[in-house]
Amino acid sequence: PPPERKMRAVFGPAPADAFGRQLWELANAIACENTQEILKRIVLNVPRFCNPRGIMRMDFIQNELMQKYGEYGFGDLKSDVADKTHGDLKDFMMALLSDRLDFESQALERAMAGFGTDEATLVTILCTLSEEDIIALQMAYSSRYERSMEQAVLSETSGKFKRVLLLAGCDRVGDAYAKVINSAVAGLGTDCKAVIRLLVTATPEQLDAAREAYSRLFKKDLIKAVTSEWAVSGDFKRIVKALAKRHPANVNDDTEMDYSADVQAMRDAVEGMGTDEGAIIDLLANKSHKQIEEFREAYKIATGELLRERIRNETTGLFESRLFRETLMGLLTPRTEQIAIYLKEAFEGWVSNDDWGLISMLVHRTEEEKVEIRTKYTEHYGADLIQDIRSNCSGDYEDALVACIAPKARTIARGIRTVMSGWFTSTNKTGLMALLTHKDDLMPTLRKEFEKEFKGKTLQGVIKKECAGEFEAALVSLASYTPPTGVAERIAAGDEVAPVAAPLPTSYQTIAPQPAYGAPPPQQAYGAPPAGYPADPNYRPQMQRQDSW
C-alpha cells in the first residue's frame, strides 16, 4: 500500500501570535501538498477574515499573506505554491498571486501565440485599459518577453480592428490623438473634419499631450503641420492655431469667473456692422468646455439670445468660412453632446463609415463620459449608440468599438461569455482567469452585467456548469466576492471597531496542544472495557486528533 501522507511538515514551533500561527499552518499545508487547505487559506476563507476589517481581498493576499509569509521565514509564497500545485489550480494560483498587469501580459501573449488569435481576450483587455495602465502593461509585457507588445499586436491583427486595438490599448491619449491628426494631414488632401473633431472635443490637457506626442513621433510641431496645409486658411486657420495652443495652465475650471466683461465683448463682436471674428476666437479659445457652457448661459441671461444661434447667423453667408463656422458650432455645443453628433455624422459617410471619426471619438473615454455620450446620443437621435455601431460595423472591428463605449463591467462579462464558449483550450482558460482575477472592486457590477449578457444566468452558476473540482471552487469564490463597502471609513471615523481580537474564521482556528502525560493512562479509561465486564453506559470512543484543517 502507498505510504500514509504526512499531516505536518517540520517548521519548528508555531509562532506565538495568531497571524503567525496561521502562516505556519499554511506553510505546513503547502509542504504537505494539501491543495484543499491551500485553497481555503489563500482564497476561500480570506473574505471572512479581511472584510470585517475593511480590507479588500486582493490587498490582504498581496500585502499581508504574501509579504508576511516571507517575513516569517517560510519562503516565497508564490514559488512554494507553484511547486506544490498542478494543472488548472496551479494556473489559477499563479494568476491570483501575480501582479495584475504581468498576468494580463501573459494572457495577451497566449491570445496571440500559435495558430489563430483569441480576439475576445485582446478586445476585453486592451479596450478596457485605464489611461495609467497603458504604458504599465506594455512595460510588463516587455519585461517578461523582451519584445514590444505594440509590435505583437501589429503582426497578429489587421485592418480597422488593429487600428482600434493600437489606439485604445497601446497608445496613451496624446499619442492616439497625434496619430489621428497626422493621418488627417498626411498625403494628398486634408481631412479638416478630423482636425475639427479633435480640437473641439479634446481637453486642454489632452491637446498639450498631443502636441508633445506629435513632436516626439513625427519630429514636427503639430500647429505648423496643421496650419501649413492648403485647406487650412483664413479664419479657420486662426481658430485652429488658437485651439491647438490651449494649455492647462491657462485654464482653471475651479476659479469662479465673472463673465460680464466677456459678454459685453461678445456683443460688441457680433452686433453692428460686420463681425469681429478675431474677438470671437479670443473669447472662446482659452476657455474650458465647462467655462464655455457657463459663458453661454451668462450671455443668454444678459441678452435673451442663444449665443450659438447668434454666431451661426453671423458666420453664415457666401463669403464666410464653412469650416470656421463648424468649429465655432462645435465649441458652443456641450462636449459630450458634440461627441455624440460627430459619431452620428461618422455613420453617415458618403460611401461608408468615417472609421477615423468613429475610432477617435470612442477611444480613451472614462466610464462617466461613456454614459453621458450614450445618453446624449439617445436624446438627439432616439437611438442607441451601441445598436447603431452593430448595425453599421461588423466582426472584430464591431466588437472592439462596442468595448470602447460599453461599461467596462459589461465588456468583461461579454469576454467571459466568449472565452467560456471555447472552454477546452488553454488559451481560453488563461483568458478567463485574467478576466476574473484582480476584479474585486468590480465584481458586484460584473455579476449584474453578466446576468444581462447571459440572459439571466448567474456568473457563479455558469462557472459551476463549465468547471469542476478545486478550480471550480476557486473561480466561484472570486465571482461571489463583495468588497467591504465603507468599512474602512467607518473604522477610521470611530463608528465601527475593527475585530482585531475577534475569533478567526473556523479554518484559521487551531487546536490547542494536547497536554503531555508522564505515563500512559490506564487502558480502561480510554479503550473498550475488557471482555466479561458489564458495559459502561457513559463510554464514548476516543476521537482521533486532527489538524486544524
Side-chain angles (χ1 to χ4, degrees):
E4 185 178 350
R5 173 184 286 187
K6 294 190 303 179
M7 293 304 294
R8 285 207 181 276
V10 180
F11 277 100
D17 62 294
F19 189 64
R21 174 82 183 193
Q22 314 321 316
L23 294 174
W24 182 78
E25 295 278 0
L26 174 59
N28 277 282
I30 293 173
C32 297
E33 300 186 35
N34 190 332
T35 55
Q36 290 185 352
E37 186 62 21
I38 294 172
L39 185 61
K40 287 179 182 179
R41 291 183 177 277
I42 297 180
V43 182
L44 303 184
N45 294 315
V46 166
R48 287 185 288 168
F49 177 77
C50 63
N51 274 25
R53 292 158 173 79
I55 306 173
M56 296 285 284
R57 175 173 56 186
M58 282 309 306
D59 291 339
F60 179 80
I61 291 173
Q62 295 192 335
N63 300 331
E64 294 293 330
L65 279 183
M66 293 184 69
Q67 182 175 339
K68 299 295 185 183
Y69 186 89
E71 291 178 359
Y72 274 79
F74 296 119
D76 178 69
L77 180 59
K78 183 179 176 182
S79 300
D80 290 349
V81 170
D83 290 340
K84 300 298 183 179
T85 55
H86 309 280
D88 294 337
L89 181 61
K90 176 180 178 179
D91 291 340
F92 171 82
M93 286 296 183
M94 293 304 97
L96 190 72
L97 299 177
S98 295
D99 174 75
R100 173 177 61 87
L101 295 176
D102 177 55
F103 191 77
E104 286 184 357
S105 71
Q106 296 177 56
L108 290 173
E109 173 67 12
R110 294 192 187 186
M112 294 184 286
F115 181 76
T117 304
D118 181 2
E119 290 84 1
T121 298
L122 294 180
V123 167
T124 308
I125 294 177
L126 293 179
C127 293
T128 60
L129 282 176
S130 62
E131 193 69 21
E132 58 269 18
D133 282 344
I134 291 175
I135 296 301
L137 178 60
Q138 292 195 55
M139 294 309 300
Y141 187 94
S142 299
S143 175
R144 178 165 286 275
Y145 300 107
E146 296 186 339
R147 62 178 183 275
S148 165
M149 186 181 80
E150 183 173 348
Q151 292 300 318
V153 174
L154 278 168
S155 65
E156 296 296 330
T157 58
S158 60
K160 295 176 286 188
F161 175 57
K162 172 175 66 177
R163 192 183 302 170
V164 179
L165 294 183
L166 291 174
L167 292 181
C170 297
D171 293 326
R172 291 171 296 184
V173 63
D175 294 54
Y177 285 2
K179 291 179 180 179
V180 171
I181 290 179
N182 185 67
S183 174
V185 301
L188 295 176
T190 306
D191 186 353
C192 294
K193 191 71 175 179
V195 174
I196 293 173
R197 278 193 298 257
L198 286 187
L199 292 181
V200 165
T201 61
T203 64
E205 292 79 9
Q206 291 171 340
L207 284 174
D208 185 55
R211 287 189 66 185
E212 294 287 342
Y214 198 92
S215 175
R216 170 169 44 82
L217 294 171
F218 305 109
K219 310 300 186 241
K220 300 177 187 176
D221 180 68
L222 183 147
I223 297 175
K224 290 183 179 179
V226 174
T227 56
S228 63
E229 292 292 302
W230 178 82
V232 181
S233 60
D235 292 330
F236 178 53
K237 180 176 181 177
R238 293 166 65 188
I239 196 169
V240 165
K241 183 180 291 186
L243 291 175
K245 284 184 176 180
R246 280 190 294 182
H247 192 277
N250 300 326
V251 179
N252 187 358
D253 278 342
D254 297 330
T255 303
E256 292 188 8
M257 297 181 62
D258 181 5
Y259 294 101
S260 55
D262 286 350
V263 168
Q264 185 58 49
M266 181 62 75
R267 296 185 67 174
D268 294 340
V270 298
E271 294 176 357
M273 295 294 294
T275 303
D276 188 348
E277 288 84 359
I280 296 175
I281 293 172
D282 291 340
L283 286 169
L284 296 179
N286 282 322
K287 287 183 172 61
S288 68
H289 296 95
K290 176 184 175 183
Q291 290 169 343
I292 290 177
E293 290 192 40
E294 293 173 349
F295 176 53
R296 288 172 55 225
E297 188 64 22
Y299 185 89
K300 183 171 70 172
I301 293 172
T303 65
E305 296 180 331
L306 296 177
L307 179 59
R308 190 171 187 272
E309 298 307 317
R310 181 59 190 259
I311 289 184
R312 188 204 303 274
N313 294 333
E314 293 294 328
T315 56
T316 300
L318 182 62
F319 300 103
E320 301 294 340
S321 168
R322 176 181 60 84
L323 296 175
F324 176 59
R325 180 174 64 255
E326 288 181 0
T327 306
L328 290 176
M329 293 301 98
L331 286 174
L332 292 170
T333 303
R335 178 171 176 258
T336 52
E337 181 180 341
Q338 189 59 46
I339 293 172
I341 293 172
Y342 286 148
L343 286 168
K344 184 64 174 178
E345 292 175 354
F347 289 132
E348 299 172 345
W350 284 8
V351 179
S352 61
N353 299 327
D354 181 352
D355 294 305
W356 274 113
L358 288 175
I359 297 171
S360 63
M361 291 295 99
L362 289 174
V363 297
H364 298 285
R365 300 301 176 200
T366 65
E367 293 298 304
E368 293 77 13
E369 287 175 339
K370 292 177 183 180
V371 174
E372 291 176 10
I373 292 169
R374 289 185 66 187
T375 301
K376 292 298 182 182
Y377 192 91
T378 300
E379 289 177 357
H380 259 260
Y381 305 108
D384 181 71
L385 176 56
I386 291 180
Q387 182 182 17
D388 281 358
I389 291 174
R390 295 200 181 281
S391 299
N392 290 276
C393 308
S394 61
D396 298 325
Y397 175 55
E398 168 198 329
D399 293 338
L401 289 181
V402 170
C404 289
I405 195 64
K408 180 177 180 179
R410 185 60 174 267
T411 300
I412 295 174
R414 191 172 288 123
I416 292 173
R417 179 182 181 181
T418 304
V419 298
M420 280 184 172
S421 64
W423 176 248
F424 291 103
T425 65
S426 59
T427 298
N428 284 333
K429 287 185 179 181
T430 303
L432 179 62
M433 288 183 282
L435 299 182
L436 280 175
T437 54
H438 304 278
K439 301 293 187 300
D440 284 353
D441 57 336
L442 201 62
M443 195 56 68
T445 307
L446 179 56
R447 288 195 294 268
K448 295 178 183 178
E449 295 295 337
F450 188 87
E451 288 188 32
K452 297 176 186 177
E453 183 66 25
F454 230 120
K455 298 181 180 179
K457 295 182 180 179
T458 66
L459 178 57
Q460 300 96 308
V462 173
I463 291 173
K464 290 177 181 178
K465 181 179 178 181
E466 297 289 342
C467 312
E470 294 169 338
F471 188 48
E472 170 203 327
L475 293 181
V476 169
S477 176
L478 291 188
S480 303
Y481 180 72
T482 299
T485 306
V487 175
E489 291 77 6
R490 293 195 296 271
I491 292 175
D495 299 331
E496 190 169 319
V497 178
V500 177
L504 296 171
T506 304
S507 69
Y508 279 84
Q509 294 176 0
T510 57
I511 296 177
Q514 297 289 337
Y517 291 95
Q523 180 66 26
Q524 288 81 354
Y526 288 86
Y533 283 81
D536 183 0
N538 297 319
Y539 166 73
R540 295 290 185 273
Q542 182 186 7
M543 298 298 294
Q544 186 177 1
R545 179 184 180 275
Q546 297 180 351
D547 288 288
S548 62
W549 54 70

